[in-house]
Amino acid sequence: MEESAGGREETEGEAMLWSLQEAVERQTLQIGASACGATAVVDVLKALGMEAAPEEVDRCVQTSLRRNEAPLPDYLLSRSQAGKKSENPLSPDYVPSIFKHVPSPIKKRGNLLVDRFNRRQALKRRRLQREIPAAGSSFITNSTRPENAPDPSAGPSIRDYTEQENDSHSLDDSDIGPTCENDKCKTQINSLKLEVQALRAENQLLKENISKTELTESALQNNDKRVLLLTGLPTFSILMALFNVVSPHLKMKSAFTLFQQFVLTLIKLRMNLSFDFLAFYFGVDSTTVSKVFKHCISVMYCRLVPSLIVWPDREILRKTLPNAFRNKHFEKTICIIDCFEIFMENPGNLLASAQCYSTYKSHHTMKYLIGISPQGSICFISNGWGGRTSDKFITENSNFLSHLLPGDLVLADRGFNVKQSIQAFQADLKIPAFTRGKKQLDPFDLESTRSLVSLRIHIERVIGVVRQKYTLLQSTVPITFTDIDEENDVMYLDKIVKISCALTNACGSVVSAL
């Protein structure tokens, strides 16, 4: 210890404005709980010969204090923050830093908080302008302010700070400036009112236009033409009836409502739009659209197909038989059958490629056996088979024969050489007469064939309606649609075909009842 010229003691490695004795005599006791920072400022000002009231220093420093009257969780939080300044500009404990050399992460976080604060303030001002009444009230007055609005002079409270963190749309009256009563200000206020009214009208018009293009119930209601265009279903009431059956089993998605998932799937079936385009329209990723489509297809397969594709009851069928079948030759008709094929991409597996190649279509295809009742509704649809498979093999191995009862009559084309298999179930098969080995058909066979062809043409019309209504079946389907859903042990393409047939049954029949 060495005595300095001024009589103050100096210690090696220490720098003091006061000696130890002076510090003991002149120090200021801590002016409040957690206010050690403000107390140190008072001591520094004293040492520099400047007098300042401790209360004024404490108010200027704005240190985070303990909230002794707050609930226990809030009190414990305040204890952990006591003595520090806040880094959030919205907090009353926030103090801007004047030092340039701040660590980069802290500086970046501070800039982000300031930017967030500025954005929220701008948003508040815009919302405040929108909520000003269009007419019948003054623009801004000195004597009034919105009901339940906080006093701007009181400063933000802790509750306000929490609400600002959770709701960036709250209003702040501190942004409202003083009222001006001169003519120039009044003119400007009137012009702003007119601008607000014009913006409101434009906003309402934009909302109406957007609502017309959204895939919502309100956009499709009372517009059967649009429902038919987008979904293939004739009316909005049918669309909603099917949706009410499916919706309880759909999963909620953040990007889609349940109705949008259902309509998206119908649009994909109806228009065969790519997943990329649907993803662009809905503003999501194409993988999300693909997952939504497959999930909705699985739900529709389980809920709609069993109730819409039903084998007809013999007694009910006989009572509602169309007039064209009411004769001794065709009155026992239970079903008309045929096969149709859907183009598909070439499988990578050589065996699968050979099994799926159709010499008749000269393309890789999946073949389906379809059966319709005399009334024109689809009553049977098989699973898919490779395009190389014969019509006879599919008929005998697709569970079709198990539906037949003794005395039933089945109508088919010449390629269905399954008469013996059908007769094994004590039913009968009628196909057009063959001309092989004959120069001319006898009159009985000719008349019978003409009548048969005129009735069998209905299944060609039904197949055409299914393809035309749901154009996905007209295209070359991707090989991924042949993946098997492990939950149902069925190919996705089989589900798509059966759902398309079920939805066609929900529409009007192509067969006239007269």
Side-chain angles (χ1 to χ4, degrees):
M1 299 275 292
E2 297 180 359
E3 191 73 9
S4 64
R8 296 174 180 169
E9 296 180 350
E10 294 184 354
T11 306
E12 185 178 357
E14 297 183 358
M16 299 182 62
L17 296 175
W18 293 333
S19 65
L20 293 177
Q21 184 63 30
E22 289 174 329
V24 171
E25 295 175 354
R26 299 185 183 183
Q27 67 175 341
T28 302
L29 297 178
Q30 187 161 328
I31 61 179
S34 304
C36 31
T39 305
V41 171
V42 173
D43 287 338
V44 171
L45 292 176
K46 279 186 179 181
L48 296 176
M50 301 171 62
E51 293 295 333
E55 295 80 7
E56 183 68 17
V57 173
D58 187 31
R59 187 184 65 80
C60 294
V61 171
Q62 294 187 353
T63 342
S64 297
L65 303 178
R66 299 178 187 174
R67 295 186 286 275
N68 296 323
E69 303 299 327
L72 180 60
D74 199 18
Y75 170 73
L76 294 177
L77 176 62
S78 69
R79 289 205 57 169
S80 65
Q81 298 175 340
K84 300 188 297 184
K85 74 180 186 69
S86 173
E87 298 292 343
N88 194 321
L90 298 175
S91 172
D93 297 330
Y94 172 73
V95 180
S97 175
I98 61 174
F99 300 104
K100 297 182 179 180
H101 302 289
V102 181
S104 181
I106 299 177
K107 186 186 298 183
K108 186 180 296 184
R109 182 171 177 271
N111 292 336
L112 290 176
L113 291 174
V114 173
D115 292 341
R116 183 189 302 172
F117 173 77
N118 292 333
R119 288 196 302 269
R120 287 179 177 172
Q121 295 302 315
L123 185 62
K124 292 173 191 174
R125 286 191 290 271
R126 290 197 297 270
R127 183 169 179 179
L128 181 61
Q129 292 175 359
R130 288 196 299 269
E131 294 185 358
I132 296 176
S137 62
S138 61
F139 187 64
I140 300 173
T141 62
N142 282 330
S143 59
T144 62
R145 66 172 183 266
E147 186 178 358
N148 298 328
D151 185 3
S153 61
S157 63
I158 297 301
R159 181 178 180 182
D160 294 334
Y161 171 71
T162 306
E163 291 176 352
Q164 288 171 349
E165 287 292 318
N166 297 331
D167 184 8
S168 61
H169 301 291
S170 58
L171 298 178
D172 187 0
D173 286 351
S174 62
D175 296 327
I176 300 177
T179 301
C180 183
E181 298 295 340
N182 58 40
D183 294 339
K184 183 177 180 181
C185 288
K186 290 181 179 179
T187 303
Q188 186 176 6
I189 288 173
N190 291 332
S191 66
L192 289 174
K193 287 182 179 179
L194 294 175
E195 183 180 358
V196 168
Q197 293 178 3
L199 290 174
R200 282 178 175 173
E202 182 182 0
N203 186 31
Q204 184 64 27
L205 180 62
L206 290 174
K207 286 182 178 180
E208 292 176 357
N209 291 335
I210 291 175
S211 65
K212 293 178 181 178
T213 59
E214 289 180 339
L215 295 179
T216 59
E217 293 93 325
S218 58
L220 298 179
Q221 192 174 11
N222 302 323
N223 196 338
D224 292 343
K225 184 177 180 181
R226 181 176 295 180
V227 171
L228 178 62
L229 174 66
L230 295 177
T231 67
L233 300 174
T235 63
F236 178 76
S237 58
I238 294 178
L239 173 66
M240 292 306 299
L242 298 178
F243 172 68
N244 291 334
V245 175
V246 173
S247 59
H249 308 281
L250 294 176
K251 296 179 181 178
M252 285 296 299
K253 301 289 183 180
S254 58
F256 300 95
T257 63
L258 297 181
F259 185 78
Q260 286 177 333
Q261 294 182 45
F262 183 62
V263 174
L264 179 148
T265 304
L266 294 179
I267 290 176
K268 175 63 178 177
L269 296 175
R270 171 73 166 161
M271 299 182 171
N272 193 28
L273 299 175
S274 66
F275 288 133
D276 291 331
F277 177 82
L278 292 173
F280 168 76
Y281 179 83
F282 286 98
V284 296
D285 190 73
S286 58
T287 305
T288 303
V289 175
S290 177
K291 290 180 179 179
V292 168
F293 174 76
K294 289 186 176 181
H295 169 64
C296 194
I297 282 290
S298 299
V299 174
M300 293 170 68
Y301 172 77
C302 295
R303 300 298 165 182
L304 296 183
V305 173
S307 57
L308 292 178
I309 300 181
V310 182
W311 188 264
D313 180 82
R314 176 188 283 185
E315 298 302 325
I316 297 176
L317 185 144
R318 298 283 171 82
K319 291 179 181 179
T320 60
L321 201 65
N323 287 336
F325 292 86
R326 292 182 182 274
N327 57 66
K328 62 179 181 179
H329 300 293
F330 301 104
E331 64 182 0
K332 295 183 179 180
T333 303
I334 190 71
C335 185
I336 307 172
I337 61 173
D338 199 358
C339 284
F340 69 96
E341 298 180 60
I342 300 174
F343 286 6
M344 61 178 292
E345 294 177 350
N346 184 9
N349 184 278
L350 293 178
L351 178 60
S353 178
Q355 292 174 341
C356 293
Y357 188 80
S358 171
T359 55
Y360 178 65
K361 298 289 185 179
S362 299
H363 202 282
H364 292 88
T365 63
M366 292 295 291
K367 183 182 286 190
Y368 292 86
L369 174 67
I370 184 173
I372 67 169
S373 66
Q375 288 80 1
S377 63
I378 300 172
C379 59
F380 180 82
I381 182 73
S382 71
N383 290 333
W385 297 78
R388 188 180 179 182
T389 312
S390 67
D391 297 345
K392 178 181 178 180
F393 184 87
I394 297 176
T395 305
E396 293 176 344
N397 293 273
S398 62
N399 200 35
F400 169 76
L401 299 177
S402 62
H403 292 86
L404 299 178
L405 298 176
D408 286 342
L409 176 63
V410 179
L411 308 183
D413 198 9
R414 290 189 180 94
F416 286 86
N417 187 19
V418 290
K419 190 163 188 173
Q420 293 181 353
S421 301
I422 291 179
Q423 287 178 344
F425 289 83
Q426 301 180 23
D428 196 11
L429 172 71
K430 278 194 175 183
I431 60 176
F434 288 94
T435 59
R436 185 180 300 173
K438 299 179 181 180
K439 294 182 179 180
Q440 184 177 342
L441 292 175
D442 59 71
F444 177 80
D445 289 340
L446 180 61
E447 187 63 28
S448 176
T449 298
R450 283 179 178 174
S451 301
L452 175 59
V453 170
S454 67
L455 298 177
R456 204 196 66 80
I457 195 65
H458 293 316
I459 194 166
E460 301 288 350
R461 296 171 61 194
V462 171
I463 294 173
V465 167
V466 175
R467 286 180 177 275
Q468 183 180 6
K469 192 176 288 289
Y470 299 103
T471 58
L472 178 62
L473 306 183
Q474 296 180 13
S475 64
T476 301
V477 298
I479 195 64
T480 54
F481 279 8
T482 61
D483 294 340
I484 295 178
D485 183 8
E486 297 180 356
E487 183 178 352
N488 307 112
D489 196 26
V490 181
M491 284 194 306
Y492 282 105
L493 183 57
D494 292 350
K495 294 182 179 181
I496 291 172
V497 171
K498 293 185 179 183
I499 290 171
S500 300
C501 293
L503 295 174
T504 303
N505 278 350
C507 307
S509 173
V510 300
V511 179
S512 175
L514 299 177

